[in-house]
Amino acid sequence: MVWWLFKKQRIGIDLGTANTNVYVDGKGIVIGEPSVVALEKDTGEIVAVGEEANNMIGRTPGSIVATRPMKDGVIAEFDTTAAMMEYFINKTRSKWSSKPQVVICVPGGGTEVEKRAVVDAALLAGAREAFLIEEPFAAAIGADLPVNDPTGSMVVDIGGGTTDVATISLGGIVSGRMSRSAGDAMDEAITSFIRNKYNLLIGERTAESVKIELGSASEELAKELGSTEIRGRDLVTGLPKTITIEATDISEAISEVVEDIIDIVKETLEDTPPEISADVIDRGIVLTGGGALLNGLAEAISDATDVPVFVANDPLNCVALGTGLALKHI
């Protein structure tokens, strides 16, 4: 075997609750697919992964189940997560590459057991070595914040399973908070609100699409967003039903989740040393993650904290980009 022919490969994985992005050193982000796996119930055999599996959610026969193996930013189903990572790693490996070195994002407030589970899953999936980076730090790198300078920066990364808030200076996290109030919590709140108010049961994909179309962090802004039709099952008759939902309903449904996000931003600021707080006031707070795209969220956080708030240029990919840039410092 001519071992010198095999190229060393480095991969960065943003292993999110909702989506997984994969960054390959020298190529950039090459994969961005939902963190979903479809399994055969009886045998446990994998039927589909990623986008194909996501399209099966709510539409599978009794013999197949489409599941998200990540829950609240941590591994809920170890073997399924490892299989999903193996699928993504194999999809990026070239014929002449050896087992890759992998850097994986984990939530800032994760326990040592949760972090170890991620490393073990990566090694089981075919990684030669696995390293971890905390999500808010990766998000700050991806948002092009000066994380290694003696200057304070603050980032709020709102993903599917968790919201991570951190102030960063000199290459480390100075203060931070992690909450389960994030994108999935908003989807669940919308589903519950519509069920209670309209006696209509909707699926998680419908809840997410309504959030993207009509979601907002303030009732005043919601009045300008109008309405849309949604379809589900009437809980009274059991029959399919179509209703018109107003943006003000969606704003009301997710208001508690938005308040929770604002609260952990305030708590992080309260724990921040005065000099870094002064830097944050000068430079502002940067929002990353899919939740950063919620209408009016930046303005709501700014009003509550009296600090300027900005959305990163590419909020959906900041964590993956930061993870990829961190590959150079393994």
Side-chain angles (χ1 to χ4, degrees):
M1 178 66 71
V2 187
W3 292 106
W4 57 269
L5 283 175
F6 286 86
K7 298 178 181 177
K8 291 182 179 179
Q9 191 174 33
R10 291 179 173 179
I11 297 174
I13 300 177
D14 171 16
L15 189 64
T17 304
N19 296 287
T20 295
N21 293 327
V22 182
Y23 183 108
V24 175
D25 194 20
K27 295 182 180 179
I29 297 174
V30 296
I31 293 175
E33 295 191 37
S35 303
V36 182
V37 179
L39 299 167
E40 186 76 39
K41 266 187 178 180
D42 295 334
T43 62
E45 182 182 348
I46 292 178
V47 177
V49 178
E51 190 65 51
E52 185 182 354
N54 189 56
N55 292 332
M56 296 180 181
I57 290 179
R59 299 187 174 98
T60 57
S63 59
I64 297 174
V65 57
T67 180
R68 287 183 176 182
M70 301 291 294
K71 180 69 174 175
D72 297 333
V74 299
I75 292 176
E77 299 171 25
F78 182 84
D79 290 337
T80 308
T81 302
M84 181 177 73
M85 290 177 67
E86 183 178 12
Y87 167 83
F88 288 128
I89 288 173
N90 288 338
K91 201 170 180 180
T92 61
R93 284 180 65 182
S94 64
K95 181 181 179 181
W96 298 106
S97 65
S98 60
K99 286 186 174 184
Q101 288 180 312
V102 179
V103 175
I104 309 167
C105 280
V106 292
T111 66
E112 290 304 314
V113 173
E114 291 166 347
K115 292 175 181 178
R116 185 68 222 176
V118 174
V119 171
D120 290 343
L123 295 176
L124 184 62
R128 178 160 53 94
E129 293 178 287
F131 306 89
L132 302 181
I133 183 172
E134 294 191 343
E135 279 185 17
F137 194 78
I141 296 172
D144 202 25
L145 297 180
V147 294
N148 291 317
D149 294 352
T151 303
S153 301
M154 186 168 186
V155 64
V156 181
D157 179 51
I158 308 167
T162 62
T163 293
D164 282 282
V165 184
T167 54
I168 297 166
S169 180
L170 289 170
I173 292 176
V174 179
S175 60
R177 288 285 191 281
M178 190 269 283
S179 171
R180 308 296 185 191
S181 295
D184 286 352
M186 293 183 194
D187 296 345
E188 290 167 8
I190 291 169
T191 302
S192 178
F193 181 90
I194 292 173
R195 182 176 62 243
N196 293 333
K197 184 171 181 178
Y198 295 102
N199 285 321
L200 188 74
L201 184 64
I202 62 171
E204 58 183 74
R205 294 186 68 184
T206 300
E208 184 180 20
S209 65
V210 169
K211 175 187 67 180
I212 293 170
E213 184 178 352
L214 298 181
S216 70
S218 73
E219 192 173 337
E220 289 302 314
L221 180 59
K223 293 176 182 177
E224 303 172 8
L225 296 176
S227 62
T228 191
E229 286 189 345
I230 60 171
R231 296 171 178 83
R233 189 177 81 234
D234 191 313
L235 291 172
V236 177
T237 65
L239 300 175
K241 184 179 179 182
T242 301
I243 66 168
T244 299
I245 191 89
E246 300 290 335
T248 50
D249 285 334
I250 305 304
S251 176
E252 182 182 346
I254 65 175
S255 59
E256 285 189 19
V257 180
V258 171
E259 283 301 318
D260 286 345
I261 293 172
I262 292 172
D263 285 345
I264 65 167
V265 173
K266 287 181 177 178
E267 289 169 10
T268 304
L269 285 170
E270 289 168 4
D271 285 347
T272 302
E275 293 297 330
I276 292 180
S277 291
D279 291 337
V280 171
I281 291 172
D282 289 339
R283 303 179 64 87
I285 299 169
V286 176
L287 302 186
T288 65
L293 300 174
L294 182 70
N295 292 305
L297 182 59
E299 292 79 4
I301 295 174
S302 181
D303 290 345
T305 59
D306 289 326
V307 177
V309 180
F310 310 97
V311 178
N313 288 333
D314 189 4
L316 288 169
N317 292 322
C318 277
V319 173
L321 290 170
T323 306
L325 293 171
L327 291 170
K328 297 176 175 60
H329 303 285
I330 291 178

